[in-house]
């Protein structure tokens, strides 16, 4: 049996994010369409003969128990009901606190990696349960591709893969805390409507690669709250809106622009001159061994 695995942990963009009211468990009711993209953190998971779980990190994230990789390993350990020795290596490439779900993806990669190395002691549903315990976006990353998530984000349904589409990711160089953005959302929307239903045109547009149709349905209910916390984002969003279909991902502040033409996105990225940018293709997989 293999003792070591390297995995890719992709980023996501939310092409649609409708936010409803706060639930008794403190989370918000959401309806979101998520798309995995080919911008990945790298995770190495290795079994060791000790009974400790160790973490090495390259990047600006916590190295202690606050790191989602370690939290994922602890949850996995509890679920299999026995001690575990493992060394985890994390190389961050996805910006942190960016609305791109990097931490959630890392957690999903650790769950999958440990499960594969140990001969799959957890069945698919148990793995999904562990993922949901770790965070709302974590179950999505076990699946990847194009998917709809409901509830607090843990009820995930895969859609047919989107046509070949490229995305330009633009990060203004600061982080936004998801909790802060939702708090601001609550202030601005004391009695929000339920999230409603997903527009058919969005799904159809993605299947056909018709970005005009996709663009008509892109939505993110957190934009207003994010703009309150980071007013400078408003003019950047406006500037981006003139370039084509796009929006803000998750709780921000990363903005995105969609195109069928990779080269055009590279040129737009240079022109927009954000502190960080990347052009990536839509990805059909979620977290996966290399
Ligand atoms: P989302 O789109 O799901 O709201 P995000 O992209 O805004 O997520 P992340 O980068 O996933 O945010 O993480 C945000 C917080 O989680 C940061 O405060 C960061 O310090 C902490 N964190 C813990 N572990 C990790 C990790 N492995 N990668 C990134 N952030 C992590």
């Amino acid at each position: 049996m293999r003792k070591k695995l390297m995995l890719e942990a992709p980023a996501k963009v939310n092409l649609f994010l409708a936010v409803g009211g706060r639930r008794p468990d403190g989370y918000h009711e959401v309806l979101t369409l998520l798309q995995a993209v080919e911008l990945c953190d790298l995770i190495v998971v290795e079994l060791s003969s000790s009974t400790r779980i160790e973490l090495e990190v390259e990047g600006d994230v916590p190295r202690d128990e606050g790191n989602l990789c370690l939290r994922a390993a602890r949850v996995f350990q509890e679920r299999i009901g026995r001690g575990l020795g493992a060394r985890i290596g994390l190389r961050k490439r996805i910006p942190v606190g960016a609305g791109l779900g990097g931490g959630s993806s890392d957690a999903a990669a650790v769950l999958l990696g440990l499960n594969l190395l140990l001969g799959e002691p957890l069945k698919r549903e148990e793995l999904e349960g562990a993922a949901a315990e770790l965070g709302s976006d974590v179950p999505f990353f076990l699946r990847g591709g194009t998917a709809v998530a409901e509830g607090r984000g843990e009820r995930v349904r895969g859609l047919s893969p989107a046509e070949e589409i490229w995305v330009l990711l633009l990060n203004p160089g600061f982080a936004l805390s998801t909790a802060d953005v939702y708090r601001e959302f609550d202030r601005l929307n004391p009695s929000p409507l339920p999230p409603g239903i997903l527009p058919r045109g969005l799904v159809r547009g993605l299947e056909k690669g018709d970005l005009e149709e996709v663009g008509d349905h892109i939505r993110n209910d957190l934009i207003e709250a994010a703009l309150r916390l980071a007013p400078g984002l408003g003019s950047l969003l406006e500037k981006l809106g003139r370039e084509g279909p796009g929006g803000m991902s998750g709780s921000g502040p990363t903005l995105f622009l969609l195109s069928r033409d990779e080269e055009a996105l590279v040129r737009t990225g240079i022109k927009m001159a954000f502190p960080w940018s990347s052009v990536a293709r839509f990805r059909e997989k979620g977290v996966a061994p290399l």
Side-chain angles (χ1 to χ4, degrees):
M1 205 186 285
R2 291 178 69 168
K3 292 193 92 180
K4 188 169 169 177
L5 265 185
M6 174 129 89
L7 300 105
E8 286 183 320
K12 56 85 179 164
V13 287
N14 302 82
L15 301 179
F16 185 91
L17 176 56
V19 181
R22 193 185 275 273
R23 314 175 343 159
D25 63 7
Y27 289 95
H28 286 76
E29 202 65 46
V30 299
L31 171 64
T32 181
L33 190 146
L34 300 133
Q35 174 63 55
V37 300
E38 293 285 0
L39 164 71
C40 298
D41 287 344
L42 289 178
I43 308 261
V44 179
V45 184
E46 184 177 10
L47 298 180
S48 69
S49 49
S50 77
T51 51
R52 289 178 33 221
I53 299 170
E54 293 158 283
L55 174 70
E56 273 180 26
V57 178
E58 185 192 305
D60 194 14
V61 285
R63 281 154 167 70
D64 58 11
E65 293 295 323
N67 194 296
L68 281 153
C69 291
L70 277 183
R71 292 196 14 226
R74 304 274 178 237
V75 166
F76 182 83
Q77 206 172 16
E78 276 164 30
R79 296 256 169 170
I80 61 168
R82 63 187 156 93
L84 182 68
R87 270 196 295 276
I88 299 168
L90 164 63
R91 182 166 191 193
K92 286 301 293 182
R93 285 178 176 165
I94 305 170
V96 176
L100 297 173
S104 303
S105 190
D106 296 347
V110 168
L111 288 180
L112 179 69
L114 288 172
N115 205 40
L116 289 174
L117 286 174
L118 290 168
E120 303 194 62
L122 298 186
K123 305 272 163 297
R124 188 73 194 180
E125 304 86 77
E126 293 173 301
L127 207 57
E128 282 165 4
E133 186 181 332
L134 283 158
S136 299
D137 283 342
V138 185
F140 162 74
F141 285 109
L142 288 178
R143 168 184 290 278
T146 313
V148 182
E150 290 175 88
R152 62 178 172 89
E154 85 290 8
R155 290 204 316 269
V156 183
R157 176 166 52 89
L159 298 175
S160 338
E163 258 301 314
E164 183 171 310
I165 295 172
W166 294 82
V167 60
L168 167 64
L169 301 168
L170 296 162
N171 186 279
F174 57 84
L176 274 180
S177 140
T178 304
D180 289 351
V181 175
Y182 271 100
R183 247 193 308 277
E184 192 60 27
F185 173 87
D186 287 340
R187 247 177 31 81
L188 294 169
N189 304 276
S191 31
L193 294 170
I197 57 165
L198 196 69
R200 276 173 160 272
L202 179 57
V203 179
R204 208 171 39 225
L206 287 168
E207 279 171 2
K208 291 192 302 193
D210 179 346
L211 290 185
E212 212 169 299
E213 187 158 24
V214 172
D216 287 344
H217 300 288
I218 288 175
R219 165 175 164 185
N220 186 335
D221 288 355
L222 296 178
I223 286 182
E224 210 189 335
L227 292 187
R228 290 284 176 129
L229 299 178
L233 263 185
S235 58
L236 298 175
L237 253 174
E238 236 172 70
K239 213 166 130 192
L240 190 70
R242 291 196 284 273
E243 301 289 337
M248 183 183 87
S249 183
S251 51
T254 304
L255 309 182
F256 66 86
L257 185 70
L258 304 178
S259 174
R260 308 289 309 263
D261 182 348
E262 180 190 10
E263 209 189 313
L265 287 185
V266 172
R267 275 188 269 113
T268 309
I270 295 168
K271 187 170 85 183
M272 299 290 283
F274 274 51
W276 179 95
S277 73
S278 181
V279 173
R281 189 202 293 249
F282 277 12
R283 175 178 167 105
E284 286 189 24
K285 294 182 285 191
V287 293
L290 270 173

